[in-house]
Each structure stands twice: as structure tokens, then as C-alpha cells.
Amino acid sequence: MDEADLITALVHHHVPEARLIEVIGHELTFLLPSQGFKHRSYANLFRELEETLADMGLSSFGVSDTSLEEIFLKVTADGEAAHINPTSGKTFNTDRSVYANGQTNSGSSTSKDGRGSHQVKGIFLVLKQFFALVIKRFHHTTRSGKDFLAQIVLPASFVLVSLMFTPIVPPFGEYPSLTLSPWMYGRQFTFFSPDMRYFGEVLLNRPGFGTRCMVDEHLEYVYIDYPCNNITTEWEMSLVNPALIEMLGNPEWTDIGPSPSCQCSTPNKLTMLPVCPEGAGGLPPPQRIQSTGDVLMDLTGRNISDYLVKTYPNLIRTSLKSKYWVNEQRYGGISVGGLLPVLDVDPKTIQNAAAQLGHLLNVTGGRYSKLTLQEFGTFLRYMETENNIKVWFNNKGWHAMVAFMNVANNAILRANLPPGADLNEYGITAINHPLNLTKEQLSEVTVLTTSVDAVVAICVIFAMSFVPASFVLYLIQERVTQAKHLQFVSGVSPLVYWIANFFWDMINYAVSAAMVVGIFIAFDQKCYTSPGNLQALIALLMLYGWSVTPMMYPMSYVFNVPSTAYVSLSCINLFIGINSSAIPFILDLFDSTEALYKCEDFSLDPFSWDFVGKNVTFMAIEGFVYFILNVLIQYRFFLDHWMSDFKKPPITDEDVDVAKEREKVYKGGSSSDILQIKDLSKTYTGTIRPAVDRICVGVLPGECFGLLGVNGAGKTTTFKMLTGDIDVTSGEAVVTGYSILTNILDVHQNMGYCPQFDAIDDLLTGREHLHLYARLRGVPESEISRVAEWGIQKLGLFEYAGCTAGTYSGGNKRKLSTAIAMIDCPALLLLDEPTTGMDPHSRRFLWNSITSVIQGGRAVVLTSHSMEECEALCTRLAIMVNGTFKCLGTIQHLKYKFGDGYVVTMKIRAAKAGTVPDLNPAEAFMESTFPGCIQREKHYNTLQYEIASSSLAKIFQLVFANKEMLNIEDYSVSQTTLDQVFVNFAKQQSGEDDTIVLHPRAAGARRDMRVFPVKTKA
């Protein structure tokens, strides 16, 4: 029978109703009933335990009331409550528990499901870690609306808006060629006068006027209501009043004035258009609709000028659209075969006049002058012809003259084609090309177009400035939440971490750059998307991200608030980008010696050194330089790594247990120590007193070492040094044989760390977190799911494993952080307040998980502000004050050595109903029976005393014997709690200039007064 069975048998001998409810580490916990037992049995039990302490293998024992937390657990967990305490809920208030701290450890082996069959090593581990970090960034990015807005929406929106406004700017020097035809002005009311028959047939037959109805002619016109067709109407005559015909037949009308005149404005009456009487211009001519859709009038044998002038007002009135715009409708016509009178001049007359002029001026003509006068008659004969084509045009149509001249040229061409030729296949098209700009115009246009391109370039810089700045947000978040450090502790080297992040950031940037290039292509910006320039555009955009992104990385060490960093870094990028783009452009405008070219006509290779080549080269170099600089900062290359040579004064007044532990470590400690700390110290820059001062301790396998202390005592600093977060000032620590000074990566592979605050990504699920850290620790890929599921089951996260961590409660986040630390079962677990924010039930669940780790032969270093947690988990603990250990040992050992005895609480009943309870007899009894006791509380019917007696049996016996005489309705006896021991030492914590005054009990004396830090006198 082992010691645990002997202790259990002894307890059951005196209190058969007692139940063994918990075995954690070296402690046995029994639940003692409050009803149905002999009261003297408690005194007998405690007396026998005191007398047989060493023989039973006990170092100490204590008693305490049932805590309110245990009541909560029983209420919320009915099944567990039925197993622990089958009695009614009313007994919870008076139950008492006995904690027996044994010297044996009956730990049980844990499941191996949380560990991989082997650990991936070498380059394969590096690749696995790289892959894990990329997957992490992928999950975060795909679920982050802020990243999508900053990296996709904003850049694309700015570029899109800027290019939408560029068409508003006139395309200087980019006017297209213009095809000239009468139908530029819409449907025409044209005319002809065919006095030459063969010309008239060419104009009347298909294809008619111009080239509109030629075969395969695809001209586009403003008006498409009159398409070319094969239909030509017959000649039609308008109905005319016979009186008008009779009036125009009078002999008073001549060829010069063939019709009534129109009345123009007079001093007495102003008119916008002339007022023409009926019959002005003559009778309406025959007309028909051509295949081109035009209305053609036959003016053969008429005075064309008289008709055009006198019918113009009526034509304008019918086509008047508004007072500001009118369609003239009649922009030209053709008259063919008009006979012109030949000049009646005799060549002899001209020759004689020239001879007389020479005599008059005394000038003698030479050989060529005589030859010219001889041929003058022939020149006059062929200078004019009777058969001609006259083109009429309206000068309000700027292109009307050339358009109708081309109609005449087409008629001449078709009239002279050989017989049998298809007229539909022959024609002349008149095209007007813009004139070449002068040198001055070209310079001005180039400056304006270049200015537009510069504005677009600045908009692109403005858009792309948001992308690298957004990459830093995630890095700042990981640094502030300690997620980055937790990944380092899980075995990732800083180089792999930054390469993976840079790789993913460049992928994201490539997506944004591709969208920008796509928008440029959609808007057909030749300066950027022409075959020669597109490659240069892509290279510039990508290398901008390549150089600016690592330049932003060092800023992740400067800022602590991501939103502030985003705004600041975006402004920095804008300032650098806009100034570096605008200044060279402005300086080039003032450089008169440098020729200006249009982008699309620039024939230089874009990648030439003087054009874009030097910029591309330097941006490529900058990317490497900034990345290497960032990695050096991460490795603290520019910080002083110094080990203090200052000889500190010898340690005095050190507790005996702390001194023994120091001596043990100096001698090499135990060969099986998982963690061994030797004179570990840290002094921050600018301070005199060390934050951690020469602490020494060794932690064995299967041991949970508790580290207690108030805020500022040095607990977190100790953890930071052990995990490599900060440099060590002096001393060293060894984890499974690897020094934190020289082999930090190997230390990380054997260490699990749960930081004080949850270092988790709110956008990753719990399962994805465990998969991530399993990969980082080198778990084989085929076993990652099994290891992750083990962590989920171990910490009770199965219900929430598929939910993002941002939706977890505080308790579930702490469970997840602990599961991350436990993944792959590292030899050492560092748990910094793992149960902060948990409800009692979740806390007990986590305690059981940690207990299984301890029973599995691994070591745990725990910090907590919960004394009950330390009592439940820690096999040993140390209390830190001002960076040093003030005490070290087991829980019961510290209670016995530094506690204040026992606390007796009594509830006094009234002697008669309706009267006030008399507390004086009980007070007199306590002062006389236990000299030196201290009254801690006194209420209406309650007294509480602090007794320094070391005999728990004596206290029970005396109080029970006088219970009826003192009208004691109820009483309880409990040992001084660990909280009280902790508070006694915590009062010694002082600031930088405080003088430390040791607690008297820490030096072995009885506490009989309160001791506070005392300020030194100047």
C-alpha cells in the first residue's frame, strides 16, 4: 500500500463520510461533510495527522472552507457535482476540505496523439514553415474586408476615375482624317443643269452623285434615314396656279430678270429674311428623289442665280429649327455644258500694242519675247472652252466646295470610261487630312498632352501608395498581439517569416497592378499600352511594389496602432511619389534644349538607360537593400548586445530555500532538468534597478513551477528572456540542453508558449490556428489533422473549432492559446496567466488539461494571479519581488513557513428570539484561550480571529467544547491562504527609488505589524 492509500485509510477511519475528490501533482484533496458526522472526529483526525506527519510521508496539510467557485462548479455541472458531492446544496456553506501535500507522484502517461511521429528537419522544415505562413496570410486576406478595400478597391477606383476624365481633355494633334461628301450635311436639296447629254446621264443614272451608292462603299454619315437604294422616282412637277403661269409669261421678264424681285429690309422695316412674292425665282422646276436619297431639281435652261437667290428665303423658313441653328439643306449643285462666249480679240492687235509699248519705253524685246507674241493667238484659243462643268456651292458649308467638286470629278471620270465599264465600280473619294503642326504648335501640344499623362501617372502613384501601406497593418497587428513572437517561439526563423510575408505581399500587389494595367488597356492609353510601352509599364508597377513594400516593413516596429500607421505611411508614399514624379516633369519644361516628343511617336527603347532603364535598375536594387535592412533590424543587428561586466553586490538576506536552489544550480543542478535558469538578469536601458536580478531555479520533468508576483515584479520579463523576445543582460538559461543565448531556434523547438494576452488572428478559425502551429513545429503533413484534433478535444474546442477566433469568448480564446502552446507536446510549457477571463468551469477544465501535461513528464512554468490555480497545479512556486525570488517551495511549505496560522470564523446566535446576539463571551473566550490572537472582523453576529497556533486539533477541540456555552451557531477553521502569504511579500514591491524593507516573517519572525516601503531621505 502506497502513501496515498495510507492517507486515505486514515481519513476514512476518523471520517467515513469523507471523499477523495482530486489528486493533482503531490496533493490529495478530500471533501469532509458538514452533517451526519461526529464533531470530535475532526479534532481526532487533525491530532493524528499532526502526530504522524513524517511517518505518513506528508510534508504538510491544511484545511479551508468550500469556496464560492466550487459552489458555482457544482451548480453548473450537475454530472460532476453528483460525482463529487451527492449531498444537498445547503451543505455547501459548511463543508470543509483537507489538502494533503504528499511527496510522491503517481503521474499517468498521456496520449501521444498530440505529437507527430517524427519532426521534419532541415530544408524541409523551412519549406513547411514557409508554406504554413503563406496559408495563414491567404486565409486572413480572403476574409478581410479592409484588405480588399485597401488593396483592390481603392487603387482600381483612383485609376479608373483618373482615366475617365482624360477623354474630356481635347486630343491635341490627334484629329482623324475626314471623308468629304455632300452628305456630311444630311439629306441634300441639290440641282443640276445638263446641257451636255452624256454628262447628264452620268449624273442621273446609278451610282449618281459621288460615291455613296458605289459597290462595297461603306461610308457613314450623320443622317442614316436615307440609305442608298435602287429606287429612283420619276420627275414630278408641282401644281401651279394658272394665273402665275400667265403672269410669268409676260414679255416684261427677260433672261437677266426672269421673275419678280424680293423685298429686303428698308429704313422703316427690318426683316430677317427677304420677302419674296409668289413666282419669285420662276415656276417650280421638275424634281425627283435620287437613289442616294437626295432631292434633285432640273434647272435646265433657267437663270440659276435668279432661282437660287429668290427661293433661298422660303427654303430657310421651312428648315429653320431654332433661332440659333438652321440646316441650310441646299449646299451645292452642278451645271453642265454651259456655252461661254469666246473672247473676241485679234492676236495682231495685241502684238502691235506690245511693239508700241516697247518703243514708248525704249525697250527692245529679245528672242523669247518675240516667240511669246507669235504664239499668243494659240494661247487665247485654248485658254477657254465653250463646253464646261460649273460647280455651285454654299459657302456656309465649309467643306461644300470640295464635296461638290468631287461630285463633278466623279462625273467626268465616269463619262470618260470605256464603253461597257461598270460605273458602280469607279469613283473618287476626297479625304481631308489635318495639316501638320508647326514647331511652336507641336511644342505647345506636346506640353499639354504630356501634362495630362503626368496627371494620370500621379493618379496611379496615388492609387498604388495605399497598397504597400496596407501590408504593414497586418504586420503591426501581429507584433502588437505577440502573434509574430509566438510564431518565432514555435520554431520559425525571422528570415523565413519575412520572406513568406514579402512573397505573399508581392502576390497581392501583383493582383492590384494587373487591375491597373487592365484598366489602362480598357481605356486604350497608347502612352502606356502600346506594344513598346506595355512591358515598361508592367515593369515599373511591379518594381515599385518590389521597392516600396520592404521600405514600409521597418515602420511596423514604429507604430502600435494599425490605423495610424496606414494613414501616416500612405501620406509618406504620396509625398515621395508625387514629388519625385512632378519635379522632373516641371524641370523638363524649362529645359529648352531637350526635344519634346509625343508618347506614341517616341522611338527610343523604353528600357534604355536614359529613359526607364536606370529607374528600373535602382528600384530592383532598393528592394533587396530595404529587405536586408529590415531583416537586420529584426535580428537586432544595430542594437548593442552587451553582457554586463559590472560586479553586483553579493546577495544578502536571501531565503534559505532560495539559497539552496541557487547552490543546487551552481553545482550543475539535476541532469534531468528540462529548464535550468542560472543568474538570469535583465536591466533595461535608462534604469538602475534590474527588472530581473540573478534568479536561479531548475525545473524537473513532471513539475509545474509557479511564478507569482505583482505587476512589475519581473515575471513577464523573465518569460520574454526565456522566449528570446528581449536580450539577456547577464546570466543564462538552458532548455533541454540548449542555451537561450546561442541556440534560440533549438530552444523554440522544445518550448510551448501561451502569452499573457491572446496572440491569435481573429480571422482564422481555431482549427486553422492549430494546423498553422503544427506545421511550424515540423509535424508531418499527413499527421497535422490528427494533432490538431487532439488539441481541439484536449481543450474542449470541438464545438467552436470551425468558427473564426474573433467570435470566441475570452475563455475560449485562452483555451485556444493554451492549445497552441501544447501542440506537438513540447518539453517545456510557459503559461503566462492562462486562465485569465475564464469562468470557473472552464478554468477547472483547463487545469485538468495542464495536469495531464505534467503527468506526461513535461515541465510547466506558470504565472498566475489566482492563488487557487497555483494551489491546484503547482508542485513548487516562487514569489518574485523586485526581480528576485523571496521564497521558493511547495504550497503547504510556504503556508507553514510564511503563513499567519489559522482563521477561526464564528456565527453567534441570540440567547432569546428578538434580541441582539451577545458577542462579549465569545470575544473573552478567544482572548483568554488563544493569547495574541488578532480580531480581523466583527459584525452583527459574526466574529473572525487570526490565531498563530500551530495545532489545528487543539483549535477544533477547544472551540467545539465551548460551543454551547458561547451560543456558537456555526464555526469554521481554515488555514492561512496562499493569498495572504502572497500579499505579505507583495507589499515589499517598490519602485526605482524605494528602499526595500523585508517582511519580518520572510526573515523568520512572527508578523505583528504592517510593513510598507519607506522612501529614502535625500
Side-chain angles (χ1 to χ4, degrees):
M1 183 179 292
D2 58 14
E3 288 87 348
D5 294 335
L6 291 175
I7 297 173
T8 304
L10 175 62
V11 174
H12 284 165
H13 174 71
H14 292 280
V15 186
E17 298 83 0
R19 291 182 177 273
L20 177 63
I21 62 171
E22 207 167 39
V23 180
I24 298 180
H26 297 272
E27 287 189 345
L28 304 176
T29 303
F30 291 88
L31 182 66
L32 303 182
S34 61
Q35 295 179 357
F37 69 96
K38 298 179 180 180
H39 293 277
R40 293 184 182 273
S41 61
Y42 282 174
N44 297 333
L45 172 62
F46 297 148
R47 183 172 60 253
E48 186 169 350
L49 285 175
E50 291 171 356
E51 293 173 353
T52 61
L53 193 66
D55 297 336
M56 297 293 292
L58 295 177
S59 62
S60 61
F61 74 93
V63 63
S64 65
D65 289 334
T66 300
S67 64
L68 186 60
E69 179 173 305
E70 291 171 342
I71 297 174
F72 174 84
L73 289 173
K74 291 174 177 137
V75 172
T76 57
D78 296 334
E80 183 179 353
H83 173 70
I84 294 177
N85 183 18
T87 59
S88 64
K90 293 183 179 179
T91 63
F92 294 165
N93 295 327
T94 58
D95 283 354
R96 299 171 179 87
S97 299
V98 175
Y99 293 87
N101 194 328
Q103 295 175 334
T104 62
N105 180 17
S106 59
S108 61
S109 61
T110 60
S111 173
K112 295 183 179 180
D113 290 339
R115 183 194 301 272
S117 59
H118 66 279
Q119 187 181 36
V120 180
K121 298 286 187 179
I123 187 63
F124 297 103
L125 176 60
V126 173
L127 293 177
K128 179 178 283 291
Q129 292 173 341
F130 175 85
F131 180 62
L133 294 174
V134 171
I135 292 177
K136 174 198 67 174
R137 290 297 304 272
F138 170 77
H139 288 310
H140 179 90
T141 303
T142 54
R143 295 168 186 163
S144 175
K146 295 179 182 178
D147 289 350
F148 178 76
L149 177 66
Q151 299 170 15
I152 303 297
V153 176
L154 280 180
S157 300
F158 277 110
V159 175
L160 182 64
V161 170
S162 65
L163 293 183
M164 287 175 62
F165 284 99
T166 51
I168 299 176
V169 181
F172 305 103
E174 296 293 329
Y175 298 109
S177 60
L178 183 64
T179 300
L180 305 180
S181 69
W183 303 278
M184 298 170 58
Y185 305 106
R187 184 186 189 191
Q188 292 296 307
F189 285 79
T190 186
F191 60 90
F192 85 125
S193 177
D195 291 337
M196 297 175 62
R197 182 175 180 181
Y198 65 98
F199 261 102
E201 292 177 354
V202 168
L203 291 173
L204 292 177
N205 297 333
R206 188 177 176 86
F209 279 31
T211 60
R212 182 175 182 182
C213 289
M214 286 180 58
V215 176
D216 297 330
E217 183 68 18
H218 302 288
L219 295 179
E220 295 182 0
Y221 300 96
V222 177
Y223 294 93
I224 60 175
D225 296 333
Y226 308 99
C228 180
N229 52 62
N230 296 320
I231 300 175
T232 302
T233 63
E234 299 295 332
W235 292 102
E236 297 178 356
M237 293 286 294
S238 301
L239 296 178
V240 181
N241 190 347
L244 179 61
I245 298 175
E246 184 180 354
M247 186 267 293
L248 291 175
N250 291 335
E252 61 178 300
W253 309 115
T254 63
D255 291 339
I256 298 176
S259 62
S261 300
C262 297
Q263 181 64 42
C264 298
S265 298
T266 63
N268 298 326
K269 182 179 180 181
L270 297 178
T271 59
M272 185 178 69
L273 291 172
V275 178
C276 298
E278 186 180 9
L283 295 174
Q287 64 181 26
R288 75 172 186 176
I289 299 176
Q290 293 285 89
S291 60
T292 57
D294 304 319
V295 178
L296 179 64
M297 293 175 287
D298 186 359
L299 300 183
T300 303
R302 304 181 66 136
N303 188 329
I304 297 178
S305 298
D306 182 78
Y307 177 80
L308 295 178
V309 171
K310 293 180 180 178
T311 57
Y312 178 77
N314 290 332
L315 181 68
I316 291 300
R317 287 189 180 94
T318 58
S319 61
L320 186 65
K321 302 298 181 183
S322 69
K323 62 184 298 185
Y324 301 105
W325 178 81
V326 63
N327 182 17
E328 296 279 345
Q329 289 186 333
R330 191 168 64 197
Y331 282 91
I334 304 292
S335 61
V336 181
L339 298 179
L340 296 177
V342 178
L343 186 64
D344 187 15
V345 177
D346 186 2
K348 287 288 186 180
T349 304
I350 296 177
Q351 293 174 1
N352 293 335
Q356 293 176 5
L357 184 61
H359 291 322
L360 181 63
L361 299 176
N362 196 21
V363 174
T364 304
R367 176 171 174 268
Y368 293 103
S369 298
K370 295 179 180 180
L371 183 61
T372 301
L373 290 175
Q374 291 176 1
E375 301 293 334
F376 195 74
T378 305
F379 170 76
L380 291 177
R381 178 183 176 185
Y382 291 102
M383 182 182 71
E384 189 62 275
T385 178
E386 294 182 1
N387 300 322
N388 62 81
I389 295 179
K390 184 181 293 183
V391 177
W392 300 76
F393 68 93
N394 185 344
N395 60 1
K396 292 184 179 180
W398 290 355
H399 306 290
M401 180 184 69
V402 179
F404 281 92
M405 181 65 73
N406 189 52
V407 171
N409 289 334
N410 274 275
I412 296 173
L413 171 66
R414 293 164 185 158
N416 290 278
L417 289 175
D422 187 0
L423 302 184
N424 292 317
E425 297 179 356
Y426 296 90
I428 302 171
T429 301
I431 300 176
N432 181 22
H433 290 274
L435 296 176
N436 292 331
L437 300 178
T438 64
K439 180 179 180 180
E440 291 76 11
Q441 290 174 327
L442 180 61
S443 298
E444 180 181 357
V445 167
T446 305
V447 169
L448 293 175
T449 54
T450 307
S451 301
V452 174
D453 295 331
V455 171
V456 173
I458 291 175
C459 289
V460 173
I461 294 174
F462 190 85
M464 302 308 290
S465 296
F466 294 102
V467 181
S470 67
F471 294 153
V472 184
L473 301 183
Y474 183 77
L475 300 175
I476 293 175
Q477 179 182 347
E478 282 209 318
R479 179 182 62 83
V480 172
T481 61
Q482 292 288 303
K484 181 171 96 172
H485 180 59
L486 187 58
Q487 292 164 33
F488 290 161
V489 174
S490 299
V492 179
S493 69
L495 182 61
V496 174
Y497 175 84
W498 284 112
I499 290 177
N501 280 284
F502 191 29
F503 174 78
W504 179 256
D505 289 341
M506 289 308 300
I507 290 178
N508 275 2
Y509 182 85
V511 174
S512 301
M515 292 190 62
V516 171
V517 173
I519 293 173
F520 274 116
I521 295 175
F523 279 85
D524 195 23
Q525 291 290 314
K526 297 297 184 182
C527 284
Y528 302 97
T529 60
S530 61
N533 294 344
L534 183 59
Q535 295 179 355
L537 172 66
I538 296 174
L540 286 173
L541 284 176
M542 292 304 300
L543 287 173
Y544 173 78
W546 168 267
S547 59
V548 173
T549 299
M551 186 181 75
M552 297 288 100
Y553 284 165
M555 296 296 103
S556 65
Y557 304 102
V558 177
F559 294 94
N560 292 324
V561 180
S563 58
T564 303
Y566 182 66
V567 174
S568 302
L569 296 181
S570 297
C571 292
I572 292 174
N573 287 341
L574 290 175
F575 179 80
I576 296 174
I578 293 177
N579 283 310
S580 60
S581 300
I583 291 175
F585 171 72
I586 294 173
L587 294 178
D588 287 344
L589 295 180
F590 292 97
D591 188 359
S592 60
T593 62
E594 184 176 355
L596 295 172
Y597 301 94
K598 292 186 292 183
C599 288
E600 59 270 26
D601 296 333
F602 199 71
S603 58
L604 252 175
D605 180 13
F607 290 100
S608 62
W609 179 259
D610 292 330
F611 194 18
V612 179
K614 57 184 177 182
N615 298 325
V616 169
T617 302
F618 283 114
M619 282 196 294
I621 296 173
E622 286 173 3
F624 287 104
V625 172
Y626 288 130
F627 184 79
I628 293 173
L629 175 65
N630 178 66
V631 173
L632 293 177
I633 294 174
Q634 182 65 63
Y635 278 102
R636 304 190 188 102
F637 179 80
F638 302 103
L639 300 178
D640 293 331
H641 298 272
W642 56 274
M643 300 292 286
S644 177
D645 295 332
F646 175 73
K647 292 185 178 180
K648 298 180 180 178
I651 298 175
T652 58
D653 298 330
E654 189 174 46
D655 182 73
V656 175
D657 299 315
V658 177
K660 287 181 179 179
E661 187 72 15
R662 184 182 302 277
E663 186 67 22
K664 175 184 175 183
V665 171
Y666 284 168
K667 291 180 179 180
S670 173
S671 59
S672 59
D673 281 346
I674 291 181
L675 171 65
Q676 192 175 97
I677 300 175
K678 181 178 180 181
D679 286 337
L680 191 64
S681 301
K682 177 63 181 180
T683 303
Y684 288 102
T685 303
T687 61
I688 299 175
R689 173 171 292 167
V692 177
D693 187 11
R694 293 171 287 179
I695 61 174
C696 295
V697 71
V699 181
L700 293 168
E703 181 177 7
C704 179
F705 182 79
L707 201 57
L708 299 182
V710 298
N711 294 330
K715 308 185 302 299
T716 302
T717 300
T718 302
F719 272 27
K720 286 185 176 181
M721 287 190 288
L722 292 177
T723 58
D725 193 17
I726 60 176
D727 289 330
V728 176
T729 301
S730 63
E732 67 171 348
V734 177
V735 178
T736 64
Y738 298 106
S739 172
I740 65 172
L741 301 178
T742 57
N743 305 101
I744 190 64
L745 289 179
D746 294 317
V747 170
H748 287 162
Q749 287 295 333
N750 292 277
M751 176 187 294
Y753 178 42
C754 174
Q756 183 176 3
F757 302 102
D758 299 306
I760 57 179
D761 190 330
D762 288 344
L763 299 181
L764 267 64
T765 66
R767 182 173 284 106
E768 288 167 353
H769 275 94
L770 297 181
H771 278 246
L772 165 66
Y773 287 96
R775 287 192 177 96
L776 296 183
R777 290 196 175 276
V779 175
E781 193 68 26
S782 60
E783 303 175 14
I784 287 177
S785 296
R786 173 178 59 81
V787 172
E789 291 304 319
W790 172 86
I792 292 171
Q793 297 292 343
K794 190 74 173 176
L795 275 301
L797 292 172
F798 183 79
E799 183 179 352
Y800 312 100
C803 303
T804 55
T807 63
Y808 285 14
S809 63
N812 284 332
K813 287 182 179 180
R814 295 308 292 163
K815 287 182 182 179
L816 179 59
S817 297
T818 306
I820 291 172
M822 296 169 62
I823 207 75
D824 199 34
C825 301
L828 175 64
L829 280 183
L830 301 180
L831 306 178
D832 195 353
E833 302 182 17
T835 59
T836 301
M838 283 190 178
D839 62 82
H841 192 273
S842 298
R843 182 158 58 244
R844 288 298 179 98
F845 186 88
L846 182 58
W847 290 355
N848 293 334
S849 301
I850 298 174
T851 301
S852 67
V853 171
I854 301 170
Q855 293 173 347
R858 290 178 281 159
V860 176
V861 178
L862 172 74
T863 69
S864 177
H865 286 159
S866 170
M867 300 303 111
E868 184 181 4
E869 181 169 276
C870 293
E871 292 187 57
L873 296 176
C874 297
T875 56
R876 288 193 304 159
L877 63 82
I879 297 179
M880 290 189 74
V881 177
N882 295 319
T884 61
F885 288 163
K886 292 302 178 182
C887 64
L888 189 150
T890 64
I891 306 296
Q892 282 301 130
H893 176 73
L894 296 182
K895 286 183 178 181
Y896 261 65
K897 185 173 182 179
F898 301 105
D900 293 320
Y902 298 92
V903 176
V904 178
T905 304
M906 297 179 292
K907 183 178 180 181
I908 309 300
R909 65 173 178 267
K912 295 181 180 180
T915 61
V916 177
D918 185 9
L919 305 182
N920 293 326
E923 290 180 282
F925 168 78
M926 293 299 295
E927 292 174 358
S928 61
T929 306
F930 305 104
C933 66
I934 300 174
Q935 189 181 77
R936 296 174 58 181
E937 294 183 13
K938 180 180 180 181
H939 301 295
Y940 171 74
N941 63 343
T942 303
L943 291 173
Q944 189 177 83
Y945 283 88
E946 186 178 295
I947 302 174
S949 173
S950 61
S951 176
L952 181 60
K954 179 182 177 181
I955 298 174
F956 260 99
Q957 184 177 4
L958 292 175
V959 173
F960 177 74
N962 295 276
K963 178 180 178 182
E964 296 299 331
M965 181 185 69
L966 300 176
N967 291 326
I968 298 176
E969 181 181 355
D970 190 10
Y971 69 95
S972 66
V973 180
S974 62
Q975 191 177 20
T976 301
T977 62
L978 186 60
D979 300 65
Q980 293 169 318
V981 177
F982 173 75
V983 169
N984 290 339
F985 282 102
K987 292 174 181 177
Q988 302 175 28
Q989 180 71 28
S990 60
E992 185 69 27
D993 299 326
D994 292 341
T995 298
I996 301 176
V997 180
L998 291 178
H999 192 281
R1001 293 302 300 271
R1006 162 93 167 90
R1007 179 177 65 82
D1008 53 6
M1009 64 177 183
R1010 307 294 181 184
V1011 183
F1012 298 93
V1014 181
K1015 293 285 185 179
T1016 57
K1017 295 182 179 180

